[in-house]
Amino acid sequence: MSESQQQRLERLQRLKLQAQQLIANQDPAQEPVPLSPEIARLLEDLRIYQVELELQNEELRRAQQEAETARARYQCLFEQMPLPALVLDAAGQVEHCNAGATDLLGPRAAYTHGDNRLSDRLARADRGRLHSALRNLTVEQPQVLERLQLADRQVESQARTMDGHLIQLDRDFHIDRKALLLLVDREAEIARERAQRFFSSILDGSDNPICATGTGGEFLVANRAMLRFLGRSTEEVLGQQRERFVPLRDAALHSEADLRVLETGEPVMLEERISGSPEGELELVTHKFPLRNAEGRIYGVGGISTDVTELKHQQGQARLSESVFLMASEAIIVTDPETRIVRVNPAFTAQSGFSEESVLGHLASFLKSGWQDEVAYQAMWEALERDGRWAGELRNRAADGRDYAVWSSISAIYDDRGRVARYMSIQTDLSALQAAQSQVQRLALFDSLTGLPNRALFEDRIRHLLAHAERHGEAFAVIFTDLDHFKEINDTLGHAVGDELLRQAAARLRSSVRGEDTVARMGGDEFVVLLPTADHAAALLVAEKMLQTLSQALVLDAVPEYLPTASAGIAVYPADGSDIEQLLRHADIAMYRAKQAGRNRVVVFDAQMAAENARIFAIQTDLASALLHGEFRVHFQPKFNLSTGRMVGAEALVRWQRPGLGLVSPADFIPVAEKSGLVVEIDRWVLNESLRQVGLWQRQGIWHAGWRVAVNQSARDLRDPSMLREVEAALQLNGVVAGALELEITESALLEHTDEVVRRLAELSALGVTLAIDDFGTNYSSLSYLSKLPVQVIKIDMSFVRNMLLNPSDRVLVETIITMAHNLGHQLVAEGVEDPAQRDQLLALGCEVGQGGLFGWAVNAEEFARQHFQQAAA
Ligand code: C2E
Ligand code: MG
Ligand code: MG
């Protein structure tokens, strides 16, 4: 209301009062006093004022009504407004609160009555802030609209989170020292913001490029990885089409996929290969899916890309490893650190016969055969722990129970922390290899006929033995053994029988020694036995036992009870030799002695034998030069007819005029020459020389026409294809008829009567040469087999002649030989006749011819002529 209006109203009131007094002073019975003009004017004014006043009252009422309406509207507005609101006085007491506020804070009684204040319901820290806000609002800066944010507080009693704005709305509130507090419940908003932050940090925290595009292909969202991938900032990307940043071809691919998602509403997987990125070629897989709003309408496409370059690479590697694992020809076994089998490959199944299922979960030792050395296993584990790897031979057990050897390479596989995660064993089956190897080894090291070690293996063993004996100062023995008469058996009964004899002899020799001893076949019928740590006495015992075991009767094809024998020689390290060659040579020499001493015996080597051998060696080397230098001579020994007492011929016997040594007997060098093969040339020379001499004597007329000159021939001569021609040539050259020549062949040489030898004898016989068997009886030849040979003369060995007077059995033997020989049509010559009693006895037994000291010793041609031709001539 204005000031003037008030004054006016007061004036009108005064006027009204004056008028009323005037009327009251008038007598009602009296005619109304005519009104003075002044009063009339006053009344008139009063009426006007009254009208004005009424008008003004009306206006005031209307204004009041308007104010009331506004207040009610405000009250309604306050009550109904969606924001919780409070009216506080300066002390913070709540005067009003609307429904929203009670919803938020609870029933108003709790903070509107008595001393209850809103601040009691606030967090302690915020109480102060509220008060100072109220103070500022009402006292210090009353005109300033102040905004206070009380963020994120706890209203203690309700434990609710809320956010408040304290706002001065109206001056009136200020005047009245009131404040309107609007409470905004930002809980949902904060939750949304949080969710937003949460999802953004997830998005940005992801290494996978993630984006969302709208239906028009524009970027709605792109996470940090995507921005990095595009090389752009958020601002540059959002709202823009992909085509602006991505090569067109790739963009088209994405747009196409997006379109599919938009059309079908189904997720799509997009694989792409991106070249030209800073990391080189990349392989990405993008999972695209529809983005739907609350109504389910699709408003865009989400995409999460994964860089699968490494994964693909690893997959490729894994596929490669897997196929290597599956296709490998070696068995592969993978175990956990406790050696429990976790995988095996097909090659393992093929190798062992165990299926994968049957071994999974088993300890690897399940495959172990009982043959494996525990020490070897221990060494394996030590190596695995120390180096993480081991390789070596193992023996496995197969499903069928057989055990087999494998070459196993085991490696530990470690995890990121360096702990063993797996063991992998790659196993190569050695069975085939070993079979082949052992076959080769057998062939190389063992004699195929007897199964005994051969010379190579023997030499290897003796080498080891020697080294060992040297180190430890020990002795060991070598026994050289040679079967007696093996050659004869082989030649007469055939090779199959000979082989059988060798097999049986080998088995017997083997059985008569201990496991650690070596019995080797050196070739032919020669065996060597190695006795570790044996001295002479021990070796002798073993050798004798060996010969005894050997000499049990055995069935040999046609021979039901053959008694095999052998001769053996012993040499002992270090007494008889310090190296292998020497030991073997000395054992051989001793064995040779045993043969010479009559076979079936053992001879221990001694130094004298070595000397003898040295002598033989010297002979051997000198023989060749002896031929060249004409050091041989021929001596002649006469043969006499025992009944007539007349000379019937002579035997030519070779002598060696050895420089410095005088005349050497053929007994000393012929055996040596036989060994070296030089005997053929010596015999050829003797034949020529003898025939030359006889031819000369013939021409001198002192060689009787009926006489024969006997020349000795060795077995080797008979095997020489040129022999017949040589004989013919020698006869022809010296003008001697074949009938004047007799060839003496030792019985032992004839044992070897191969077809070739028999044919040669027949040819010589046909030529007219007389053939004699020398030293008959010393070998075990039967007369019946000799009868098959074209031989005319048999020379009884001088050992029988010598003993026949002393030993009745020798006499019987001589008698038998003579009788049988006669029955077979042979002529007989007795050797070594030294005294007349022998001659008489032989004569009595029917022997035709005698040779020996009694009739004349072997002498040179000159002496022979002097001694015998006068006599003959006489
Ligand atoms: P042999 O053919 O049986 O010769 C007989 C040997 O007995 C000769 O020895 C002879 O001197 C010896 N002798 C003869 N009468 C008596 C006797 O009454 N008492 C004794 N104790 N000995 C007698 P020699 O000449 O030493 O010949 C030994 C062997 O050498 C021969 O035995 C013969 O097998 C071989 N031989 C000799 N010359 C040759 C030859 O030119 N070629 C070949 N291959 N062998 C030969
Ligand atoms: Mg002779
Ligand atoms: Mg003889």
Side-chain angles (χ1 to χ4, degrees), residues 637 651 654-655 666 683 712 774-775 798 831-832 834 852-853 857:
Q637 183 175 33
E651 179 174 5
V654 71
R655 301 286 180 264
D683 284 354
N712 291 285
D774 206 348
D775 305 337
M798 68 176 87
E831 291 180 314
E834 290 190 15
W857 298 100

Side-chain angles (χ1 to χ4, degrees), residues 479-482 484 543 546-547 566-570 587 590-592 594-595 600-604:
I479 306 176
F480 215 106
T481 308
D482 187 293
D484 296 333
M546 258 170 48
L547 296 196
S567 305
I570 294 173
M591 188 276 290
Y592 193 72
K595 288 265 185 215
N600 192 21
R601 68 196 65 211
V602 182
V603 170
V604 178

Side-chain angles (χ1 to χ4, degrees), residues 360-376:
L360 289 188
H362 282 282
L363 291 175
S365 57
F366 167 73
L367 303 171
K368 193 163 106 175
S369 84
W371 292 100
Q372 191 67 34
D373 184 0
E374 279 310 317
V375 177

Side-chain angles (χ1 to χ4, degrees), residues 452-481:
L452 292 179
N454 64 9
R455 182 183 287 271
L457 182 53
F458 168 79
E459 281 174 359
D460 185 58
R461 296 227 175 130
I462 195 175
R463 222 178 358 259
H464 283 115
L465 193 55
L466 186 76
H468 179 87
E470 242 168 23
R471 266 200 311 279
H472 297 88
E474 286 174 0
F476 71 89
V478 178
I479 306 176
F480 215 106
T481 308

